[in-house]
């Protein structure tokens, strides 16, 4: 799919919320958990995150936002968060491009990019492993879902 990757700004918060909710609905259905953090995050929380200066990128098809990803930076580690692709364009390479782009936008000090996903989300895990991420640990999240953490060294 022909998309342009660009920086997300606070004014994109509404579109980000729409895509994130649509994308994470499939994860909610998989786990029977309708209060996953990406589904209950408020517009103000998204807007604040987009204003905090950490890398946040959108995939645009013309004027339409079709994917988004945000990050949290803590010293030498950057968490990739809220990777979301609109359901009708999933499987077209947009997620891969956003994942590569957010790693490329890591601040210079960052040595490791990491993320977590549900342990039963085999498609997501395969997606991250095919992008070079490796499994490092498992934990239970706040709502009791078993999660896998994967990470990748920044070259
Ligand atoms: C996970 C997600 C971001 C992937 O984005 P996408 O645009 O659909 O993925 P891509 O088209 O870039 O796929 C890249 C590669 O991963 C593979 N892949 C992606 N999703 C997959 C799945 N569910 N099962 C198996 N493989 C998958 C693709 O086949 C492709 O492989 P290839 O490069 O060998 O052809 C997207 O499906 C999504 O928004 N899901 C819902 C929200 C979510 O779960 N976010 C991640 C939470 S950690």
């Amino acid at each position: 799919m022909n998309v342009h990757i660009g920086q997300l700004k606070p004014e994109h918060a509404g579109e980000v919320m729409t895509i994130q909710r649509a994308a994470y609905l499939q994860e909610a259905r998989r786990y029977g958990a309708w209060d996953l953090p990406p589904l209950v995050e408020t517009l103000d929380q998204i807007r604040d995150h987009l204003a905090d200066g950490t890398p946040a990128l959108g995939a645009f098809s013309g004027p339409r936002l079709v994917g988004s990803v945000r990050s949290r930076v803590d010293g030498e580690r950057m968490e990739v968060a809220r990777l979301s692709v609109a359901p009708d364009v999933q499987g077209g390479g947009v997620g891969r491009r956003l994942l590569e782009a957010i790693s490329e936008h890591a601040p210079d000090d960052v040595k490791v990019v990491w993320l977590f996903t549900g342990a039963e989300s085999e498609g997501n895990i395969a997606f991250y492993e095919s992008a070079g991420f490796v499994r490092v640990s498992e934990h239970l999240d706040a709502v009791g879902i078993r999660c896998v953490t994967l990470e990748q060294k920044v070259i």
Side-chain angles (χ1 to χ4, degrees):
M1 186 178 197
N2 192 16
V3 295
H4 156 75
I5 306 292
Q7 198 160 336
L8 287 175
K9 302 192 178 123
E11 53 264 37
H12 292 117
E15 287 173 277
V16 168
M17 184 185 212
T18 302
I19 287 194
Q20 184 170 301
R21 288 195 176 188
Y24 276 88
L25 199 57
Q26 64 200 57
E27 290 298 283
R29 184 176 295 123
R30 185 194 312 277
Y31 295 99
W34 307 99
D35 49 0
L36 294 177
L39 290 177
V40 298
E41 193 176 24
T42 67
L43 188 60
D44 281 346
Q45 288 170 327
I46 295 172
R47 198 181 284 121
D48 288 350
H49 192 182
L50 293 177
D52 78 1
T54 52
L57 299 173
F60 297 86
S61 174
R64 181 187 171 204
L65 184 71
V66 294
S68 67
V69 63
R70 291 182 267 153
S71 66
R72 298 188 187 89
V73 178
D74 182 8
E76 296 188 342
R77 295 176 65 81
M78 182 173 86
E79 178 187 0
V80 174
R82 309 291 197 252
L83 178 60
S84 309
V85 174
D88 63 304
V89 302
Q90 287 178 12
V94 172
R96 171 66 60 84
R97 284 201 53 199
L98 282 170
L99 187 59
E100 287 172 357
I102 198 84
S103 295
E104 286 163 9
H105 280 75
D108 288 345
D109 288 348
V110 169
K111 305 264 191 297
V112 174
V113 176
W114 68 279
L115 52 85
F116 67 86
T117 191
E120 291 172 27
S121 305
E122 289 169 15
N124 286 1
I125 294 169
F127 164 70
Y128 292 125
E129 288 182 331
S130 75
F133 282 75
V134 294
R135 299 176 192 228
V136 290
S137 60
E138 288 196 9
H139 67 277
L140 286 183
D141 75 0
V143 291
I145 296 172
R146 197 161 55 89
C147 294
V148 178
T149 296
L150 301 103
E151 62 179 42
Q152 185 179 46
K153 287 197 170 55
V154 175
I155 302 159

